[in-house]
Every structure is written in structure tokens, then in C-alpha cells.
Amino acid sequence: MAPRDGEKDTALDRLRTGFEGDVIVPSDTSYDEARAVFNGMIDRRPAVIAQCATESDVARAICFGRGLGLEIAVRGGGHGVAGMALSDGGLVVDLRRMNAVSVAADALTARVGGGAVMSDLDGATQPHALATTGGRVSTTGIGGFTLGGGTGWLDRKFGLACDNLLSVDLVTADGNTVRASEDENPELFWALHGGGGNFGVATSMTFRLYPLPAMTAALLLWAPEAGPEVLRAYRDFVASAPDEVGGGLIYITAPPEPFVPEHLVGTLVCAVLITYTGGEAAAREVARPMLGLGHEAEMIAEIPYAELQRMLDAPPGYRNYWSAEHLDSLPDEAVDRFCARADDMIVPSPSQHVLFPQGGAVARGPMDRPLPWRRAPWVVHPFGLWDNPADDDRGRRWARDLRADVAPWSSGAVYLNFIGREGEERVVAGLGSQNYRRLAAVKARYDPDNVFRLNHNIKPAPAGEF
């Protein structure tokens, strides 16, 4: 039952008293800006947006929402494609003000606020020539990214983001604070390696850092009809590439950059991005097999990691639809199907028709965590962004058809951060069925009422099942 206006007003007054952040309601001039998320398809109107500045604010907001029976959403970066950072008529616990990053260079660690995005972390570690695995754009929220697993340009070298997670401070559904690490609440810590935001609100995380004195990026472009030949060569290149190599093969709309010939700008092109955790000379030597394939444009340069993270940024507000399939193998037939489906991508647009390699430190990481997709060598990721609502059906169909095309080689598992709402079966596939049962027991302990359900939801195990 919805709270009466007088009851809500009284509760709001109590929430605002001593609240160090801001409490925003629909009548406030900042409301529309505060409720906007990355995906322009999402147009939800929360009753209250609590822009928290402290851990105490988070606890107060949760208790406020529960006291009024409001559905609670948690916003970090607001980058999730399904828009689960918002709730129509509910409460948003907005963490964006909690974005401080503290680097302990001697200890090779960073403490990161729950509302920080990649640019916050990378900007703090770059002056120390340190880094850890982040996402592939600078605007992704670190909390949701990490707790969902966390793949990025550095993962073949340094492992997944969650592999480098040392501790998490969490506000639970009852408003209490708990710390999870290998030594403190280890079962909860295990669950936070893939289980996402199901167990509480992450207000702070501590990460392991690595020296990264140099980073090189190489972007090579071909006409789309060269795609199958290029992908076969890329497949063979990755098979023997060192862990220092990351990147992917990506069909994109060629950008209006100085290194792109005019006849390619605004058209579909096949691109190979090679990232290398080292200097340009070594990167060129490693990338030699790809540099001899007759590409039409190239950009190769040493580039700060923080700048690399911004290289493929897309501005918020586009209409978004994403999905993914993890592949056990990539035979020639799969190559041909993947390349052929690129013709259905919306062009021009910021959309990306992506094939990412895994392997390296990702595949060697701990196998006892709820990340069943870890050993898949390839990830197909239709990443759709467009601006015209009339293209919605076309954009969704392209992504779904691409998944169907590569389904014969799918592992069945999926990285949940790459997908939206695709049903409970896909959630289980993203965690593993045995892991899911164990996660449900953790959920029952820390959130038995499923307060935190706007996510890839894990339902609490019924009483007596754990």
C-alpha cells in the first residue's frame, strides 16, 4: 500500500534532518537531471532520490524507504542497460557523491567510494603509474562493474576486477554496516564476486593495484568485406598472444578522426583494437601479424591508461540495447556468421558489434567463485546505441539475431553486466546453478526480504533450505 502524503512528508522531514547529502523529490528543479541514466530508453520517475554523501546517509535512506514500503533502487554509475538504478514511484539510493579515491602507492592498493566511476579511479592511480582492471569506458560505475565480475582491457594481464578486490564495506537491508574480505565474512565476500548488488549497498571497496608505466593502443581499420579474413587472422593472433595483449575485433561506424580516410568516415568498418601493457616498440613487434593484413587506417601510440579508457566513450542519452554470448570455440563457420550479422547493425551510430578475447589471467583465476563464464575464450557482445526510437525494433533484432547466430558454440554462461533483463534462466546461467543455490543462502542471511531486487536478482533461499 502506498504511503499517505502526510506520512511521506513527515518521513521526508526526518530523513532530511542530519542528512549530509541532498534529498530530491519531483517538485525540485534538479529532479530531471538527477533521474537521468545512461540509457535514453529509460524514463522512470522515482518518488525520492537520496543523493548520499556518507555511509550514514545510505543507512538512513534504506531505513526511510523500508519504513514507507518503497521499492529501493541503488545507483552508482547509472550505466546498466536495463535502468535498474531507478524505480518508478520508489526510492533511489544515489551514491554518486561518494566517489572519493585514496591511493596507497607503497601498499599498491586503492580505496574507492561506492559511487566512483572509472575515470575517478584511473585519474587517481595514473599519477603513480599504477592501475587495476577497469571497464572499457570511463563512465562505468565501479561498484556494479566489480561486484558483477568486471572485465576490461587489462583483464588478461591482471585478472578480473573482482579478482583484485580486497575488501568491501556494505550497508545491508537492515541499515547495518558489514565488512567483507577473505578474513571477515568470507562467505559474503565470495558472493560479491559475481552476485552483484543483491546483498547490500557497497559504500567502499579496496583494490589491489599494479605498476603500469606504459600503455599502448593500436586501432586498425578495414572495409567490412575484409572482416572474415581479418577475424581468422585475429583469432590465430590471440591464440599465441602474451597476456599483455587485450582488445577486441569490433565493427563500428568509422569516426571523423584525422587518421581515418574520408571515404570511410560514417560507414561500417571492421576494426581491431590491440591494447598492450607496455611501450609502443614492443607493442608493434607483438602486433606484427595484424599489421601486415593491408588495413586502410591505423592509429598506434603510447597512451595513458586513463585516456585509453575514454577512447570508446559514448555520451549518455542514446537508446541502448545490449546482450552477450560466451563461446567455447570460434570455428570458421562462427567467424562467417559473426561477420555477416554486422550488416544489420545501425550505421551510423555509436553501436559496436564486438568480439572480445578472454584467456590469460581471466582463465587462470579462481574457479570456485560464481563466474562460470571465466574460461570461455571468446565473448560476442552486441552493444547497441542509437538515437531514433523508430530504430528500436531493428536494434533489438540485430542483437538477438547475433546471439542466435553464434548459439551453436555458446558455453551457456554469460557475464551479467553485459545484458539487461533477459529472465531468471539467464541470471542462473550467469552465476551457475550450484553457485546460485549457495548465493540464495547468502541472500537469505543478508537480505531475507529481497529489498535489493532491482538487479540480476537472486531470490532468498526459503527457510529450511540452508
Side-chain angles (χ1 to χ4, degrees):
M1 185 173 66
R4 295 187 296 272
D5 288 343
E7 179 187 4
K8 190 170 100 175
D9 290 344
T10 300
L12 273 170
D13 289 340
R14 288 198 302 268
L15 175 62
R16 288 189 171 109
T17 302
F19 196 85
E20 296 187 41
D22 282 335
V23 177
I24 298 172
V25 295
S27 59
D28 291 328
T29 57
S30 58
Y31 176 76
D32 282 336
E33 182 180 358
R35 72 184 180 92
V37 292
F38 184 79
N39 186 355
M41 284 187 182
I42 307 301
D43 183 21
R44 297 186 184 135
R45 300 186 63 83
V48 180
I49 300 172
Q51 294 188 327
C52 302
T54 66
E55 190 172 78
S56 176
D57 282 355
V58 173
R60 289 166 60 88
I62 291 170
C63 293
F64 161 82
R66 295 201 68 182
L68 291 181
L70 298 177
E71 183 177 59
I72 296 176
V74 181
R75 175 174 184 152
H79 208 273
V81 66
M84 291 185 283
L86 297 178
S87 168
D88 262 329
L91 166 71
V92 175
V93 179
D94 187 336
L95 304 177
R96 283 177 289 176
R97 294 190 178 194
M98 300 174 65
N99 66 343
V101 178
S102 175
V103 176
D106 291 344
L108 296 178
T109 62
R111 185 173 173 87
V112 181
V117 298
M118 293 303 160
S119 59
D120 297 316
L121 175 59
D122 300 336
T125 58
Q126 189 79 57
H128 304 281
L130 298 172
T132 195
T133 300
R136 294 179 173 91
V137 296
S138 69
T139 54
T140 301
I142 294 171
F145 166 78
T146 301
L147 302 184
T151 78
W153 304 127
L154 302 180
D155 58 15
R156 282 172 47 88
K157 178 66 174 176
F158 300 139
L160 301 173
C162 69
D163 294 339
N164 297 299
L165 186 64
L166 300 176
S167 68
V168 182
D169 291 333
L170 207 71
V171 178
T172 58
D174 56 10
N176 291 326
T177 300
V178 62
R179 174 165 291 185
S181 69
E182 293 286 359
D183 300 320
E184 299 177 84
N185 301 297
E187 186 71 357
L188 174 60
F189 191 59
W190 171 84
L192 296 174
H193 289 72
N198 273 281
F199 313 102
V201 180
T203 56
S204 180
M205 296 154 284
T206 301
F207 291 92
R208 181 184 299 110
L209 302 178
Y210 300 88
L212 188 65
M215 189 82 199
T216 301
L219 184 64
L220 313 175
L221 305 183
W222 290 264
E225 54 267 23
E229 176 188 356
V230 172
L231 180 47
R232 286 178 173 84
Y234 181 70
R235 175 189 62 192
D236 297 341
F237 163 71
V238 169
S240 59
D243 293 353
E244 286 79 6
V245 168
L249 185 139
I250 314 173
Y251 284 87
I252 57 172
T253 300
E257 296 290 343
F259 71 93
V260 179
E262 187 175 348
H263 73 277
L264 292 181
V265 172
T267 71
L268 181 69
V269 293
C270 175
V272 169
L273 175 64
I274 298 172
T275 62
Y276 184 78
T277 55
E280 181 179 344
R284 284 183 177 273
E285 180 62 26
V286 168
R288 196 189 318 174
M290 299 305 301
L291 294 174
L293 294 179
H295 52 279
E296 295 194 41
E298 72 172 43
M299 184 283 296
I300 305 177
E302 286 192 31
I303 181 172
Y305 174 61
E307 188 175 331
L308 169 64
Q309 289 282 70
R310 293 191 293 268
M311 199 165 81
L312 292 180
D313 276 359
Y318 281 95
R319 305 176 74 78
N320 280 243
Y321 187 82
W322 322 335
S323 194
E325 286 292 338
H326 288 62
L327 308 185
D328 283 330
S329 63
L330 189 66
D332 286 350
E333 185 180 355
V335 167
D336 292 340
R337 290 192 186 186
F338 173 82
C339 292
R341 188 60 66 182
D343 290 336
D344 292 345
M345 190 178 78
I346 296 168
V347 176
S349 78
S351 297
Q352 300 173 27
H353 186 91
V354 186
L355 183 71
F356 288 130
Q358 291 198 151
V362 177
R364 293 193 303 270
M367 293 306 298
D368 62 338
R369 290 172 174 165
L371 302 166
W373 43 268
R374 183 189 283 278
R375 285 189 175 168
W378 298 99
V379 186
V380 170
H381 182 34
F383 183 76
L385 299 92
W386 56 89
D387 57 10
N388 189 345
D391 285 329
D392 287 356
D393 287 344
R394 177 185 169 192
R396 292 189 183 102
R397 185 170 60 251
W398 154 68
R400 291 166 179 164
D401 287 349
L402 177 57
R403 279 189 57 206
D405 288 341
V406 300
W409 303 279
S410 173
S411 71
V414 63
Y415 174 42
L416 295 177
N417 284 356
F418 272 176
I419 71 172
R421 293 182 183 270
E422 295 186 4
E424 185 175 1
E425 287 185 5
R426 285 279 270 177
V427 174
V428 175
L431 300 168
S433 57
Q434 290 187 341
N435 292 328
Y436 186 91
R437 289 190 288 272
R438 183 175 168 187
L439 289 162
V442 180
K443 176 78 168 179
R445 178 177 177 185
Y446 290 95
D447 184 17
D449 298 320
N450 205 10
V451 171
F452 302 115
R453 58 184 177 272
L454 290 180
N455 45 41
H456 291 296
N457 195 234
I458 298 164
K459 296 176 182 177
E465 285 195 11
F466 56 93

mmCIF file of all heavy atoms in Angstrom, residues 296-335:
data_model
loop_
_atom_site.group_PDB
_atom_site.id
_atom_site.type_symbol
_atom_site.label_atom_id
_atom_site.label_comp_id
_atom_site.label_asym_id
_atom_site.label_seq_id
_atom_site.Cartn_x
_atom_site.Cartn_y
_atom_site.Cartn_z
ATOM 1 N N GLU A 296 43.345 -0.204 -43.913
ATOM 2 C CA GLU A 296 43.177 1.077 -44.606
ATOM 3 C C GLU A 296 43.466 2.274 -43.711
ATOM 4 O O GLU A 296 43.603 3.393 -44.221
ATOM 5 C CB GLU A 296 41.759 1.187 -45.171
ATOM 6 C CG GLU A 296 41.461 0.164 -46.267
ATOM 7 C CD GLU A 296 40.208 0.515 -47.035
ATOM 8 O OE1 GLU A 296 40.000 1.711 -47.340
ATOM 9 O OE2 GLU A 296 39.421 -0.413 -47.323
ATOM 10 N N ALA A 297 43.527 2.071 -42.422
ATOM 11 C CA ALA A 297 43.807 3.184 -41.500
ATOM 12 C C ALA A 297 44.373 2.616 -40.222
ATOM 13 O O ALA A 297 44.070 1.476 -39.840
ATOM 14 C CB ALA A 297 42.537 3.983 -41.208
ATOM 15 N N GLU A 298 45.203 3.421 -39.558
ATOM 16 C CA GLU A 298 45.757 2.957 -38.292
ATOM 17 C C GLU A 298 46.045 4.128 -37.372
ATOM 18 O O GLU A 298 46.323 5.249 -37.809
ATOM 19 C CB GLU A 298 47.037 2.156 -38.497
ATOM 20 C CG GLU A 298 48.249 2.982 -38.911
ATOM 21 C CD GLU A 298 49.541 2.182 -38.907
ATOM 22 O OE1 GLU A 298 49.532 1.024 -39.377
ATOM 23 O OE2 GLU A 298 50.548 2.721 -38.425
ATOM 24 N N MET A 299 45.955 3.839 -36.099
ATOM 25 C CA MET A 299 46.416 4.730 -35.048
ATOM 26 C C MET A 299 47.163 3.860 -34.059
ATOM 27 O O MET A 299 46.588 2.923 -33.484
ATOM 28 C CB MET A 299 45.241 5.439 -34.361
ATOM 29 C CG MET A 299 45.633 6.480 -33.306
ATOM 30 S SD MET A 299 46.172 5.789 -31.706
ATOM 31 C CE MET A 299 44.694 4.983 -31.131
ATOM 32 N N ILE A 300 48.445 4.090 -33.863
ATOM 33 C CA ILE A 300 49.246 3.336 -32.902
ATOM 34 C C ILE A 300 50.022 4.339 -32.072
ATOM 35 O O ILE A 300 50.747 5.173 -32.616
ATOM 36 C CB ILE A 300 50.221 2.362 -33.594
ATOM 37 C CG1 ILE A 300 49.481 1.422 -34.552
ATOM 38 C CG2 ILE A 300 50.971 1.547 -32.544
ATOM 39 C CD1 ILE A 300 50.391 0.486 -35.315
ATOM 40 N N ALA A 301 49.856 4.262 -30.763
ATOM 41 C CA ALA A 301 50.541 5.233 -29.909
ATOM 42 C C ALA A 301 50.562 4.748 -28.481
ATOM 43 O O ALA A 301 49.647 4.039 -28.035
ATOM 44 C CB ALA A 301 49.838 6.589 -29.979
ATOM 45 N N GLU A 302 51.603 5.136 -27.761
ATOM 46 C CA GLU A 302 51.558 5.021 -26.306
ATOM 47 C C GLU A 302 50.537 6.020 -25.805
ATOM 48 O O GLU A 302 50.494 7.174 -26.259
ATOM 49 C CB GLU A 302 52.932 5.298 -25.687
ATOM 50 C CG GLU A 302 53.912 4.169 -25.896
ATOM 51 C CD GLU A 302 55.169 4.303 -25.046
ATOM 52 O OE1 GLU A 302 55.072 4.873 -23.933
ATOM 53 O OE2 GLU A 302 56.227 3.842 -25.503
ATOM 54 N N ILE A 303 49.732 5.585 -24.876
ATOM 55 C CA ILE A 303 48.611 6.404 -24.428
ATOM 56 C C ILE A 303 48.370 6.124 -22.947
ATOM 57 O O ILE A 303 48.390 4.959 -22.528
ATOM 58 C CB ILE A 303 47.350 6.085 -25.279
ATOM 59 C CG1 ILE A 303 46.149 6.923 -24.884
ATOM 60 C CG2 ILE A 303 47.003 4.605 -25.221
ATOM 61 C CD1 ILE A 303 44.964 6.738 -25.850
ATOM 62 N N PRO A 304 48.192 7.133 -22.120
ATOM 63 C CA PRO A 304 47.901 6.856 -20.709
ATOM 64 C C PRO A 304 46.667 5.968 -20.589
ATOM 65 O O PRO A 304 45.694 6.123 -21.344
ATOM 66 C CB PRO A 304 47.662 8.250 -20.125
ATOM 67 C CG PRO A 304 48.382 9.186 -21.035
ATOM 68 C CD PRO A 304 48.270 8.572 -22.402
ATOM 69 N N TYR A 305 46.718 5.054 -19.645
ATOM 70 C CA TYR A 305 45.587 4.135 -19.474
ATOM 71 C C TYR A 305 44.286 4.889 -19.266
ATOM 72 O O TYR A 305 43.247 4.517 -19.825
ATOM 73 C CB TYR A 305 45.868 3.195 -18.304
ATOM 74 C CG TYR A 305 44.706 2.294 -17.952
ATOM 75 C CD1 TYR A 305 44.212 1.380 -18.876
ATOM 76 C CD2 TYR A 305 44.108 2.354 -16.703
ATOM 77 C CE1 TYR A 305 43.149 0.545 -18.563
ATOM 78 C CE2 TYR A 305 43.046 1.521 -16.373
ATOM 79 C CZ TYR A 305 42.567 0.623 -17.306
ATOM 80 O OH TYR A 305 41.510 -0.190 -16.990
ATOM 81 N N ALA A 306 44.314 5.978 -18.497
ATOM 82 C CA ALA A 306 43.092 6.751 -18.263
ATOM 83 C C ALA A 306 42.533 7.309 -19.569
ATOM 84 O O ALA A 306 41.312 7.407 -19.750
ATOM 85 C CB ALA A 306 43.366 7.883 -17.275
ATOM 86 N N GLU A 307 43.413 7.660 -20.503
ATOM 87 C CA GLU A 307 42.961 8.165 -21.803
ATOM 88 C C GLU A 307 42.414 7.030 -22.663
ATOM 89 O O GLU A 307 41.431 7.208 -23.391
ATOM 90 C CB GLU A 307 44.106 8.879 -22.502
ATOM 91 C CG GLU A 307 43.701 9.605 -23.770
ATOM 92 C CD GLU A 307 44.836 10.404 -24.378
ATOM 93 O OE1 GLU A 307 45.717 10.858 -23.615
ATOM 94 O OE2 GLU A 307 44.845 10.565 -25.621
ATOM 95 N N LEU A 308 43.068 5.874 -22.603
ATOM 96 C CA LEU A 308 42.534 4.714 -23.317
ATOM 97 C C LEU A 308 41.116 4.408 -22.869
ATOM 98 O O LEU A 308 40.243 4.091 -23.692
ATOM 99 C CB LEU A 308 43.435 3.498 -23.066
ATOM 100 C CG LEU A 308 42.905 2.133 -23.527
ATOM 101 C CD1 LEU A 308 42.749 2.095 -25.040
ATOM 102 C CD2 LEU A 308 43.809 1.008 -23.059
ATOM 103 N N GLN A 309 40.848 4.509 -21.581
ATOM 104 C CA GLN A 309 39.518 4.237 -21.063
ATOM 105 C C GLN A 309 38.466 5.171 -21.644
ATOM 106 O O GLN A 309 37.298 4.820 -21.740
ATOM 107 C CB GLN A 309 39.525 4.383 -19.528
ATOM 108 C CG GLN A 309 40.252 3.287 -18.797
ATOM 109 C CD GLN A 309 39.426 2.018 -18.714
ATOM 110 O OE1 GLN A 309 39.209 1.334 -19.714
ATOM 111 N NE2 GLN A 309 38.961 1.690 -17.534
ATOM 112 N N ARG A 310 38.882 6.372 -22.046
ATOM 113 C CA ARG A 310 37.935 7.335 -22.615
ATOM 114 C C ARG A 310 37.788 7.195 -24.132
ATOM 115 O O ARG A 310 36.919 7.830 -24.731
ATOM 116 C CB ARG A 310 38.384 8.759 -22.289
ATOM 117 C CG ARG A 310 38.326 9.114 -20.817
ATOM 118 C CD ARG A 310 38.522 10.605 -20.601
ATOM 119 N NE ARG A 310 39.863 11.057 -20.949
ATOM 120 C CZ ARG A 310 40.875 11.137 -20.097
ATOM 121 N NH1 ARG A 310 40.690 10.772 -18.836
ATOM 122 N NH2 ARG A 310 42.054 11.578 -20.492
ATOM 123 N N MET A 311 38.626 6.379 -24.750
ATOM 124 C CA MET A 311 38.711 6.352 -26.206
ATOM 125 C C MET A 311 37.410 5.902 -26.862
ATOM 126 O O MET A 311 37.046 6.384 -27.939
ATOM 127 C CB MET A 311 39.863 5.444 -26.643
ATOM 128 C CG MET A 311 40.331 5.685 -28.058
ATOM 129 S SD MET A 311 41.956 4.927 -28.385
ATOM 130 C CE MET A 311 41.487 3.233 -28.681
ATOM 131 N N LEU A 312 36.696 4.968 -26.240
ATOM 132 C CA LEU A 312 35.453 4.452 -26.828
ATOM 133 C C LEU A 312 34.223 4.911 -26.060
ATOM 134 O O LEU A 312 33.149 4.323 -26.178
ATOM 135 C CB LEU A 312 35.498 2.922 -26.897
ATOM 136 C CG LEU A 312 36.508 2.323 -27.872
ATOM 137 C CD1 LEU A 312 36.455 0.805 -27.838
ATOM 138 C CD2 LEU A 312 36.291 2.818 -29.293
ATOM 139 N N ASP A 313 34.361 5.983 -25.270
ATOM 140 C CA ASP A 313 33.207 6.518 -24.551
ATOM 141 C C ASP A 313 32.105 6.934 -25.527
ATOM 142 O O ASP A 313 32.376 7.535 -26.572
ATOM 143 C CB ASP A 313 33.599 7.759 -23.738
ATOM 144 C CG ASP A 313 34.197 7.417 -22.385
ATOM 145 O OD1 ASP A 313 34.285 6.220 -22.069
ATOM 146 O OD2 ASP A 313 34.579 8.349 -21.657
ATOM 147 N N ALA A 314 30.879 6.625 -25.168
ATOM 148 C CA ALA A 314 29.717 7.158 -25.882
ATOM 149 C C ALA A 314 28.963 8.065 -24.914
ATOM 150 O O ALA A 314 28.856 7.753 -23.724
ATOM 151 C CB ALA A 314 28.805 6.031 -26.351
ATOM 152 N N PRO A 315 28.457 9.182 -25.385
ATOM 153 C CA PRO A 315 27.734 10.073 -24.475
ATOM 154 C C PRO A 315 26.436 9.447 -23.997
ATOM 155 O O PRO A 315 25.834 8.632 -24.708
ATOM 156 C CB PRO A 315 27.472 11.317 -25.328
ATOM 157 C CG PRO A 315 27.529 10.828 -26.742
ATOM 158 C CD PRO A 315 28.515 9.708 -26.752
ATOM 159 N N PRO A 316 25.997 9.796 -22.783
ATOM 160 C CA PRO A 316 24.725 9.260 -22.291
ATOM 161 C C PRO A 316 23.557 9.819 -23.089
ATOM 162 O O PRO A 316 23.679 10.838 -23.774
ATOM 163 C CB PRO A 316 24.690 9.744 -20.832
ATOM 164 C CG PRO A 316 25.540 10.969 -20.824
ATOM 165 C CD PRO A 316 26.627 10.726 -21.823
ATOM 166 N N GLY A 317 22.432 9.146 -22.988
ATOM 167 C CA GLY A 317 21.214 9.633 -23.618
ATOM 168 C C GLY A 317 20.802 8.884 -24.859
ATOM 169 O O GLY A 317 19.660 9.004 -25.308
ATOM 170 N N TYR A 318 21.703 8.107 -25.464
ATOM 171 C CA TYR A 318 21.310 7.260 -26.586
ATOM 172 C C TYR A 318 20.395 6.135 -26.089
ATOM 173 O O TYR A 318 20.412 5.760 -24.923
ATOM 174 C CB TYR A 318 22.539 6.639 -27.253
ATOM 175 C CG TYR A 318 23.291 7.570 -28.175
ATOM 176 C CD1 TYR A 318 24.381 8.297 -27.722
ATOM 177 C CD2 TYR A 318 22.905 7.707 -29.512
ATOM 178 C CE1 TYR A 318 25.078 9.149 -28.561
ATOM 179 C CE2 TYR A 318 23.598 8.550 -30.369
ATOM 180 C CZ TYR A 318 24.675 9.276 -29.892
ATOM 181 O OH TYR A 318 25.359 10.116 -30.728
ATOM 182 N N ARG A 319 19.641 5.604 -27.007
ATOM 183 C CA ARG A 319 18.819 4.442 -26.717
ATOM 184 C C ARG A 319 19.725 3.210 -26.775
ATOM 185 O O ARG A 319 20.504 3.060 -27.711
ATOM 186 C CB ARG A 319 17.647 4.354 -27.707
ATOM 187 C CG ARG A 319 16.834 5.644 -27.725
ATOM 188 C CD ARG A 319 15.726 5.627 -28.752
ATOM 189 N NE ARG A 319 14.625 4.774 -28.341
ATOM 190 C CZ ARG A 319 13.705 5.104 -27.448
ATOM 191 N NH1 ARG A 319 13.756 6.278 -26.829
ATOM 192 N NH2 ARG A 319 12.730 4.271 -27.140
ATOM 193 N N ASN A 320 19.632 2.354 -25.765
ATOM 194 C CA ASN A 320 20.586 1.263 -25.599
ATOM 195 C C ASN A 320 19.905 -0.094 -25.571
ATOM 196 O O ASN A 320 18.847 -0.250 -24.944
ATOM 197 C CB ASN A 320 21.323 1.408 -24.266
ATOM 198 C CG ASN A 320 22.452 2.418 -24.297
ATOM 199 O OD1 ASN A 320 23.611 2.076 -24.117
ATOM 200 N ND2 ASN A 320 22.123 3.687 -24.512
ATOM 201 N N TYR A 321 20.541 -1.070 -26.204
ATOM 202 C CA TYR A 321 20.176 -2.475 -26.007
ATOM 203 C C TYR A 321 21.444 -3.297 -26.183
ATOM 204 O O TYR A 321 22.137 -3.171 -27.196
ATOM 205 C CB TYR A 321 19.107 -2.937 -27.005
ATOM 206 C CG TYR A 321 18.613 -4.332 -26.706
ATOM 207 C CD1 TYR A 321 17.628 -4.538 -25.734
ATOM 208 C CD2 TYR A 321 19.155 -5.437 -27.345
ATOM 209 C CE1 TYR A 321 17.193 -5.820 -25.432
ATOM 210 C CE2 TYR A 321 18.730 -6.717 -27.051
ATOM 211 C CZ TYR A 321 17.740 -6.904 -26.093
ATOM 212 O OH TYR A 321 17.319 -8.173 -25.787
ATOM 213 N N TRP A 322 21.769 -4.129 -25.182
ATOM 214 C CA TRP A 322 22.983 -4.949 -25.224
ATOM 215 C C TRP A 322 22.624 -6.400 -24.921
ATOM 216 O O TRP A 322 21.617 -6.690 -24.293
ATOM 217 C CB TRP A 322 24.016 -4.539 -24.179
ATOM 218 C CG TRP A 322 24.201 -3.097 -23.891
ATOM 219 C CD1 TRP A 322 23.933 -2.025 -24.703
ATOM 220 C CD2 TRP A 322 24.713 -2.547 -22.673
ATOM 221 N NE1 TRP A 322 24.261 -0.855 -24.072
ATOM 222 C CE2 TRP A 322 24.733 -1.136 -22.829
ATOM 223 C CE3 TRP A 322 25.167 -3.106 -21.483
ATOM 224 C CZ2 TRP A 322 25.189 -0.283 -21.814
ATOM 225 C CZ3 TRP A 322 25.622 -2.263 -20.483
ATOM 226 C CH2 TRP A 322 25.629 -0.869 -20.651
ATOM 227 N N SER A 323 23.520 -7.287 -25.317
ATOM 228 C CA SER A 323 23.425 -8.675 -24.889
ATOM 229 C C SER A 323 24.793 -9.331 -25.087
ATOM 230 O O SER A 323 25.768 -8.640 -25.409
ATOM 231 C CB SER A 323 22.331 -9.426 -25.649
ATOM 232 O OG SER A 323 22.034 -10.650 -25.001
ATOM 233 N N ALA A 324 24.869 -10.635 -24.886
ATOM 234 C CA ALA A 324 26.163 -11.311 -24.976
ATOM 235 C C ALA A 324 25.984 -12.818 -25.087
ATOM 236 O O ALA A 324 24.980 -13.373 -24.633
ATOM 237 C CB ALA A 324 27.022 -10.998 -23.745
ATOM 238 N N GLU A 325 26.972 -13.452 -25.688
ATOM 239 C CA GLU A 325 27.138 -14.899 -25.650
ATOM 240 C C GLU A 325 28.621 -15.193 -25.458
ATOM 241 O O GLU A 325 29.478 -14.565 -26.110
ATOM 242 C CB GLU A 325 26.660 -15.571 -26.940
ATOM 243 C CG GLU A 325 25.154 -15.634 -27.117
ATOM 244 C CD GLU A 325 24.461 -16.556 -26.130
ATOM 245 O OE1 GLU A 325 25.114 -17.456 -25.570
ATOM 246 O OE2 GLU A 325 23.238 -16.371 -25.943
ATOM 247 N N HIS A 326 28.921 -16.145 -24.590
ATOM 248 C CA HIS A 326 30.295 -16.597 -24.382
ATOM 249 C C HIS A 326 30.497 -17.891 -25.156
ATOM 250 O O HIS A 326 29.689 -18.820 -25.048
ATOM 251 C CB HIS A 326 30.556 -16.817 -22.889
ATOM 252 C CG HIS A 326 30.652 -15.542 -22.118
ATOM 253 N ND1 HIS A 326 29.610 -14.655 -22.016
ATOM 254 C CD2 HIS A 326 31.681 -14.999 -21.422
ATOM 255 C CE1 HIS A 326 29.992 -13.616 -21.288
ATOM 256 N NE2 HIS A 326 31.243 -13.803 -20.922
ATOM 257 N N LEU A 327 31.573 -17.944 -25.925
ATOM 258 C CA LEU A 327 31.793 -19.050 -26.844
ATOM 259 C C LEU A 327 32.925 -19.957 -26.364
ATOM 260 O O LEU A 327 33.980 -19.477 -25.936
ATOM 261 C CB LEU A 327 32.137 -18.523 -28.236
ATOM 262 C CG LEU A 327 31.182 -17.489 -28.853
ATOM 263 C CD1 LEU A 327 31.617 -17.182 -30.283
ATOM 264 C CD2 LEU A 327 29.740 -17.942 -28.794
ATOM 265 N N ASP A 328 32.693 -21.256 -26.486
ATOM 266 C CA ASP A 328 33.726 -22.244 -26.177
ATOM 267 C C ASP A 328 34.748 -22.371 -27.307
ATOM 268 O O ASP A 328 35.873 -22.821 -27.076
ATOM 269 C CB ASP A 328 33.092 -23.616 -25.932
ATOM 270 C CG ASP A 328 32.445 -23.706 -24.560
ATOM 271 O OD1 ASP A 328 32.927 -23.036 -23.631
ATOM 272 O OD2 ASP A 328 31.456 -24.449 -24.421
ATOM 273 N N SER A 329 34.350 -22.003 -28.531
ATOM 274 C CA SER A 329 35.251 -22.098 -29.679
ATOM 275 C C SER A 329 34.806 -21.096 -30.728
ATOM 276 O O SER A 329 33.693 -20.556 -30.676
ATOM 277 C CB SER A 329 35.248 -23.514 -30.259
ATOM 278 O OG SER A 329 33.959 -23.855 -30.744
ATOM 279 N N LEU A 330 35.683 -20.867 -31.714
ATOM 280 C CA LEU A 330 35.394 -19.909 -32.776
ATOM 281 C C LEU A 330 35.836 -20.505 -34.119
ATOM 282 O O LEU A 330 36.811 -20.058 -34.729
ATOM 283 C CB LEU A 330 36.124 -18.588 -32.505
ATOM 284 C CG LEU A 330 35.758 -17.403 -33.409
ATOM 285 C CD1 LEU A 330 34.315 -16.972 -33.181
ATOM 286 C CD2 LEU A 330 36.720 -16.240 -33.169
ATOM 287 N N PRO A 331 35.124 -21.512 -34.598
ATOM 288 C CA PRO A 331 35.481 -22.109 -35.893
ATOM 289 C C PRO A 331 35.132 -21.164 -37.048
ATOM 290 O O PRO A 331 34.477 -20.133 -36.850
ATOM 291 C CB PRO A 331 34.626 -23.376 -35.933
ATOM 292 C CG PRO A 331 33.438 -23.048 -35.084
ATOM 293 C CD PRO A 331 33.947 -22.161 -33.995
ATOM 294 N N ASP A 332 35.532 -21.539 -38.243
ATOM 295 C CA ASP A 332 35.320 -20.667 -39.400
ATOM 296 C C ASP A 332 33.849 -20.331 -39.613
ATOM 297 O O ASP A 332 33.511 -19.206 -40.012
ATOM 298 C CB ASP A 332 35.891 -21.323 -40.665
ATOM 299 C CG ASP A 332 37.410 -21.283 -40.713
ATOM 300 O OD1 ASP A 332 38.014 -20.581 -39.872
ATOM 301 O OD2 ASP A 332 37.994 -21.962 -41.585
ATOM 302 N N GLU A 333 32.962 -21.294 -39.370
ATOM 303 C CA GLU A 333 31.539 -21.012 -39.566
ATOM 304 C C GLU A 333 31.059 -19.935 -38.605
ATOM 305 O O GLU A 333 30.274 -19.049 -38.979
ATOM 306 C CB GLU A 333 30.703 -22.284 -39.388
ATOM 307 C CG GLU A 333 29.225 -22.069 -39.702
ATOM 308 C CD GLU A 333 28.378 -23.327 -39.541
ATOM 309 O OE1 GLU A 333 28.949 -24.405 -39.267
ATOM 310 O OE2 GLU A 333 27.140 -23.218 -39.680
ATOM 311 N N ALA A 334 31.525 -19.977 -37.367
ATOM 312 C CA ALA A 334 31.160 -18.939 -36.395
ATOM 313 C C ALA A 334 31.721 -17.585 -36.814
ATOM 314 O O ALA A 334 31.058 -16.547 -36.667
ATOM 315 C CB ALA A 334 31.664 -19.325 -35.008
ATOM 316 N N VAL A 335 32.943 -17.583 -37.346
ATOM 317 C CA VAL A 335 33.539 -16.347 -37.861
ATOM 318 C C VAL A 335 32.657 -15.746 -38.945
ATOM 319 O O VAL A 335 32.337 -14.545 -38.926
ATOM 320 C CB VAL A 335 34.952 -16.629 -38.414
ATOM 321 C CG1 VAL A 335 35.461 -15.448 -39.234
ATOM 322 C CG2 VAL A 335 35.919 -16.931 -37.277
#
